[in-house]
Amino acid sequence: MTRILHAAETAVAQSLAGFVAAHEELVTFGRDDKFVRRRTLSPGKVAVISGGGAGHEPLHCGFIGVGMLDAACTGHVFTSPTPDQILAAMDETDTGAGCLLVVKNYDGDVMNFEMAAEMAADRHRIETVIVEDDAAYGPSVRSRGRRGVAGTMVVEKLLGAAAERGEDLAGLKALGEGLSGRLRSMGVALRGVTLPDNTRETFALGPDEMEIGVGIHGEPGLYRTGRAGADEIVRLLCEPVLAQLSPLTDARPLLIVNGFGGTPPIELHLAHNLTRAFLRQHGIVPARALVGTFVTSLDMAGLSVTLALLTPEEFALWCAPVTTPTLVW
Amino acid sequence: MTRILHAAETAVAQSLAGFVAAHEELVTFGRDDKFVRRRTLSPGKVAVISGGGAGHEPLHCGFIGVGMLDAACTGHVFTSPTPDQILAAMDETDTGAGCLLVVKNYDGDVMNFEMAAEMAADRHRIETVIVEDDAAYGPSVRSRGRRGVAGTMVVEKLLGAAAERGEDLAGLKALGEGLSGRLRSMGVALRGVTLPDNTRETFALGPDEMEIGVGIHGEPGLYRTGRAGADEIVRLLCEPVLAQLSPLTDARPLLIVNGFGGTPPIELHLAHNLTRAFLRQHGIVPARALVGTFVTSLDMAGLSVTLALLTPEEFALWCAPVTTPTLVW
């Protein structure tokens, strides 16, 4: 891959094989290795299916398991999975209650999941939830609207838990759409992404620069500025998040501090502590916090802050038991 | 910290506070924030205590919890905790059965844990297990012998599980020492460490270079060579590991592919798959494999391979239930 060099064409397949081998008690490859699925399906449960380009690991495959996803389709690096992959995942994991597709808001992903849903409309009941949590781009900036970033794991956890307790397709769709205005993320990059086919970084940052409002595909962010201290970085991430969140009475705030791949745990926990202090000054005390490397952009250094204002029912879904390669509680 | 800039003097304390806040159901600060401990102790169980410099997270604090450590002491970045910290941890977590200290083999760590043990000899029963799993340095190269690296988590898991089921101090000491010849690790760096007090890297690697046999404090490795493909990197890591492992009949091989902090999951799983293929060619099929970022060197890019040839009894200890911030099963 990027720094552990390997032929780009086979790197994703090799990495997926390594992932499945490490977690074979929980997951297995689907037909022709087109996707990864739970080893054991639950008959009569809605199948929750997600996917996207490689390079964002542990998203999505790391969230397959009881209480979260049934299957995930992985494309090439930063490239959508094909409709064929998505179709195969639906065919193999729909046990009668239909399929709920969780899709990050990118043109390619939305198009390919839509195409697969159309192709399968005669044999599966299907609903789709689009994730668009990135506070960096308002709907007016890009035709497609906000990008789906680290908040995707919140949507996958809540919908997965609801499906597990027997929620039907319509209920899952309503749950996902209801969450949309109360889920926002914002990211900073301190070093760009190294693409696997060469050593080029998609955007180059000097040692004294940082990029605010980055996505997870190496695309530039909202603006570039001088490298600030951690307190200032936290402020630059949290302010747009707070400004865009729809208020909610009796909210249970969920905080996620997510590393982009090249930033170690010591820095993520430091940022987490400063984020808590910032939120406290704004009257927000997280009911739960999760700190780690969950939604990555290959080896990009940097992190994102996600805040979700959950209802008590949604918070119970977040806290519900989960057994996946990445989240276990 | 290194890239999320923060004053070096306070960065470690801030990061620890963020860690404890994220896992407050499991861990809490000990007296005067000198160490981190389990929230709930088990009376009559041997207290398993470890520690070392900051910069290796999630080691050691991430392994505090039922089935693993009782307490961990963290020093400044790459600096041993003080005897005073270690003493405080023993005083607060020894519930009558004594203390087992797990110490990575570095001069400062060994000296400070020894000093604490001497100071506490009149009030605690104490045994120490030194971890020295690094295949990069034989005993003849450095007076202190092999360094303790990613294999430390194997020792902490096995001793923690044994303590949990009621093993006494002598039994734990024997278990740790018995494992020593059957546990080896080897690491590669693809980019050096950025120290927190400035932006200097401890050793600088060109884009076409890599450093084989690195430790986890930014010290140079055994040798530098041209950047090789992932297959070749895996061979360079596995060969010295296999050469140094004491053979064991009926072994249960445990494989760990560990990221050093700046290397993302997609690359670790790729390396994991290639490592399995290499081991298979040498007649070794891992009974379990663990892939992730566990023993870091700040933001160093690279990874290490750890192989442990466990007895069936040791393997059962590895598989025994554990509930920590990092490992849960």
Side-chain angles (χ1 to χ4, degrees):
Chain A
M1 282 306 310
T2 66
R3 294 182 180 273
I4 303 289
L5 303 177
H6 198 273
E9 322 72 84
T10 53
V12 173
Q14 284 277 0
S15 183
L16 277 174
F19 168 80
V20 169
H23 301 285
E24 57 186 0
E25 75 288 3
L26 294 176
V27 303
T28 184
F29 275 114
R31 182 164 55 85
D32 298 336
D33 296 357
K34 285 183 180 171
F35 59 96
V36 180
R37 48 161 278 203
R38 291 193 200 183
R39 185 164 279 282
T40 309
L41 300 174
S42 297
K45 187 187 85 66
V46 172
V48 183
I49 299 169
S50 190
H56 307 308
E57 294 73 14
L59 185 78
H60 301 270
C61 285
F63 299 128
I64 297 171
V66 176
M68 219 158 160
L69 298 181
D70 290 271
C73 308
T74 305
H76 290 295
V77 170
F78 295 168
T79 305
S80 305
T82 62
D84 178 56
Q85 291 177 273
I86 301 160
L87 202 57
M90 289 193 281
D91 285 348
E92 197 166 313
T93 62
D94 183 352
T95 58
C99 303
L100 192 285
L101 308 179
V102 180
V103 184
K104 300 193 299 302
N105 194 29
Y106 298 100
D107 287 346
D109 286 350
V110 171
M111 187 176 71
N112 285 6
F113 274 90
E114 263 176 11
M115 201 178 300
E118 281 168 21
M119 291 160 72
D122 59 340
R123 58 183 193 272
H124 298 287
R125 287 182 296 138
I126 301 165
E127 290 287 0
T128 299
V129 170
I130 306 285
V131 185
E132 37 184 4
D133 59 310
D134 193 346
Y137 283 96
S140 64
V141 177
R142 294 275 169 102
S143 59
R144 184 62 79 179
R146 291 185 190 86
R147 300 172 292 200
V149 285
T152 308
M153 68 182 289
V154 179
V155 178
E156 294 182 352
K157 174 67 177 81
L158 267 54
L159 295 182
E164 208 70 54
R165 69 165 194 208
E167 190 67 62
D168 67 10
L169 261 186
L172 293 175
K173 168 92 170 163
L175 179 66
E177 295 194 336
L179 188 62
S180 171
R182 294 179 277 109
L183 176 65
R184 286 291 180 276
S185 303
M186 185 87 171
V188 58
L190 304 172
R191 195 185 59 238
V193 180
T194 318
L195 285 180
D197 52 351
N198 51 33
T199 56
R200 174 176 64 92
E201 295 189 0
T202 49
F203 58 90
L205 287 170
D208 295 325
E209 292 180 319
M210 61 185 188
E211 186 87 15
I212 300 282
V214 288
I216 53 175
H217 297 91
E219 66 272 45
L222 271 184
Y223 61 94
R224 186 166 302 192
T225 181
R227 187 73 71 88
D231 288 286
E232 174 68 0
I233 289 176
V234 162
R235 186 184 71 78
L236 293 174
L237 299 185
C238 288
E239 280 184 348
V241 165
L242 291 180
Q244 289 188 35
L245 280 170
S246 306
L248 175 71
T249 310
D250 200 24
R252 305 288 190 275
L254 168 66
L255 170 64
I256 298 176
V257 176
N258 171 63
F260 280 138
T263 289
I266 187 171
E267 301 185 39
L268 300 179
H269 277 295
L270 188 158
H272 170 229
N273 205 48
L274 298 174
T275 302
R276 292 180 83 91
F278 182 91
L279 293 177
R280 203 178 304 121
Q281 289 164 11
H282 291 74
I284 295 175
V285 177
R288 278 280 179 102
L290 191 67
V291 182
T293 295
F294 302 112
V295 178
T296 59
S297 182
L298 292 174
D299 65 344
M300 185 165 78
L303 56 85
S304 62
V305 170
T306 296
L307 196 62
L309 299 180
L310 303 182
T311 66
E313 295 71 28
E314 289 164 351
F315 185 65
L317 292 171
W318 176 262
C319 297
V322 62
T323 304
T324 67
T326 305
L327 297 187
V328 186
W329 61 65
Chain B
M1 281 306 311
T2 67
R3 296 182 178 273
I4 304 290
L5 303 176
H6 198 272
E9 323 71 84
T10 52
V12 173
Q14 284 276 1
S15 183
L16 277 174
F19 168 80
V20 170
H23 301 285
E24 58 186 359
E25 75 288 3
L26 294 177
V27 304
T28 183
F29 275 115
R31 181 164 55 86
D32 298 337
D33 296 356
K34 285 183 180 170
F35 59 97
V36 180
R37 49 161 276 202
R38 289 192 201 184
R39 184 163 281 283
T40 308
L41 300 174
S42 297
K45 187 186 84 67
V46 172
V48 183
I49 300 168
S50 191
H56 307 308
E57 295 72 14
L59 183 82
H60 299 270
C61 285
F63 299 127
I64 297 171
V66 176
M68 220 160 159
L69 299 180
D70 290 271
C73 309
T74 305
H76 291 295
V77 171
F78 295 167
T79 305
S80 305
T82 62
D84 178 56
Q85 290 177 273
I86 301 161
L87 202 58
M90 289 194 279
D91 284 348
E92 197 166 313
T93 61
D94 183 353
T95 58
C99 302
L100 192 284
L101 309 179
V102 180
V103 184
K104 298 193 298 303
N105 195 29
Y106 299 101
D107 288 346
D109 286 351
V110 172
M111 187 176 72
N112 285 6
F113 273 90
E114 263 177 11
M115 201 179 300
E118 282 168 22
M119 291 161 70
D122 59 339
R123 59 184 194 271
H124 297 289
R125 286 182 298 138
I126 302 165
E127 290 287 0
T128 300
V129 169
I130 307 285
V131 185
E132 37 184 5
D133 60 311
D134 192 347
Y137 283 97
S140 65
V141 177
R142 293 275 170 100
S143 60
R144 184 61 80 178
R146 292 185 190 87
R147 300 172 293 201
V149 286
T152 308
M153 68 183 292
V154 179
V155 178
E156 294 182 352
K157 174 67 177 81
L158 267 54
L159 294 181
E164 209 71 52
R165 68 165 192 205
E167 191 66 64
D168 66 11
L169 260 186
L172 294 174
K173 168 92 170 166
L175 179 67
E177 295 194 336
L179 189 62
S180 172
R182 293 179 278 109
L183 176 65
R184 286 292 180 277
S185 303
M186 185 87 173
V188 58
L190 304 172
R191 195 185 58 239
V193 181
T194 318
L195 285 180
D197 52 351
N198 51 36
T199 55
R200 174 176 64 93
E201 295 188 2
T202 49
F203 58 90
L205 286 171
D208 296 325
E209 292 180 317
M210 61 185 188
E211 186 88 14
I212 299 283
V214 287
I216 54 174
H217 296 91
E219 66 273 45
L222 271 184
Y223 62 94
R224 188 167 301 191
T225 181
R227 187 73 72 88
D231 287 285
E232 174 67 1
I233 290 176
V234 162
R235 186 184 70 79
L236 293 173
L237 299 185
C238 288
E239 281 186 347
V241 164
L242 291 180
Q244 289 187 35
L245 280 170
S246 305
L248 176 71
T249 309
D250 201 25
R252 305 289 190 275
L254 168 67
L255 169 65
I256 298 175
V257 176
N258 170 64
F260 280 139
T263 290
I266 187 172
E267 302 186 40
L268 301 180
H269 277 297
L270 188 158
H272 170 229
N273 204 49
L274 297 174
T275 302
R276 292 179 84 89
F278 182 91
L279 293 177
R280 203 178 303 121
Q281 289 164 10
H282 290 75
I284 294 175
V285 177
R288 280 279 179 101
L290 191 66
V291 182
T293 295
F294 302 111
V295 178
T296 59
S297 182
L298 292 173
D299 65 344
M300 185 164 78
L303 56 85
S304 62
V305 170
T306 296
L307 195 63
L309 299 180
L310 303 182
T311 66
E313 296 72 28
E314 290 164 350
F315 185 65
L317 292 171
W318 177 262
C319 296
V322 61
T323 305
T324 68
T326 305
L327 297 186
V328 186
W329 60 66

